[in-house]
Amino acid sequence: MTPKLIVTGMMGTGKSSVGPLVAKRLGWKFADSDTEIVARSGKPIARIFQKYGEAHFRALERGVIARLAGNPEPAVIATGGGALTDPATAAALAHAGTIICLTARPEVIAARVEKSKSKRPKLAEGGKPLLDRIKELMAERAEAYSRADLQIDTSELTIQEAADRVIAEFKAKAEV
């Protein structure tokens, strides 16, 4: 089995920014499961959620992640924020390599998400203020995220610093 470094965590923690930089520094392929889902389905994620629901999205995600995890090349895989909440997806990722969960304080996530142009379907649920919804989602996903091999708080880190930490933690874990 070739090594995989899986970068997961809440939206706004830096997965899609840190992942490609880590892959480039390691000389590995980079794959973003959300990007792959959009490419395969021909629909934006927000539209998939809206038209078909979360269960359909998680099924698409499960298939994409199984394919990425099974690819023989070393790779950095960035997952969607809810990927680890699906038991089959979490198991495939755990079998594939080291899972690093990026974290950040709720206020930091809110500020980053507000700057982003991406539509975040899970944040729109319940019609709550953004910060309240982020805290709620973090609580819902806490158990799933706790199963990651490592956690790195990106609240005070630049993208480059976060990538440095991810690589250092990954290499340290590989030596154990």
Side-chain angles (χ1 to χ4, degrees):
M1 182 77 143
T2 57
K4 302 283 188 290
L5 191 164
I6 296 98
V7 182
T8 193
M10 277 289 291
M11 62 195 81
T13 57
K15 303 179 301 285
S16 296
S17 300
V18 172
L21 186 54
V22 169
K24 183 178 179 183
R25 289 185 184 173
L26 292 174
W28 291 4
K29 179 183 173 199
F30 173 73
D32 184 306
S33 64
D34 284 352
T35 302
E36 297 279 331
I37 291 166
V38 170
R40 291 180 132 214
S41 69
K43 295 175 182 63
I45 288 170
R47 180 88 171 120
I48 296 168
F49 267 82
Q50 177 188 37
K51 190 168 183 177
Y52 305 105
E54 184 173 2
H56 179 76
F57 173 79
R58 295 290 168 217
L60 292 173
E61 182 178 58
R62 196 176 310 118
V64 164
I65 286 177
R67 187 178 58 75
L68 293 173
N71 185 312
E73 297 176 49
V76 174
I77 301 169
T79 74
L84 291 184
T85 63
D86 179 85
T89 301
L93 290 169
H95 181 72
T98 301
I99 301 172
I100 298 181
C101 182
L102 301 183
T103 66
R105 294 186 309 276
E107 302 78 23
V108 173
I109 292 172
R112 290 174 180 171
V113 167
E114 284 177 332
K115 287 182 202 170
S116 169
K117 293 183 178 20
S118 298
K119 290 192 176 176
R120 315 281 184 155
K122 293 299 289 180
L123 289 182
E125 291 177 4
K128 296 182 177 167
L130 180 62
L131 187 57
D132 292 346
R133 182 62 184 135
I134 288 169
K135 288 177 181 177
E136 186 177 76
L137 264 179
M138 290 175 83
E140 288 172 11
R141 295 175 175 177
E143 184 182 338
Y145 291 159
S146 74
R147 291 191 290 264
D149 297 299
L150 302 161
Q151 297 211 6
I152 296 172
D153 187 337
T154 65
S155 296
E156 303 297 329
L157 302 178
T158 65
I159 293 167
Q160 290 77 15
E161 290 168 339
D164 291 343
R165 285 279 307 281
V166 166
I167 291 168
E169 297 279 347
F170 175 68
K171 287 183 174 178
K173 179 159 182 6
E175 291 173 7
V176 173

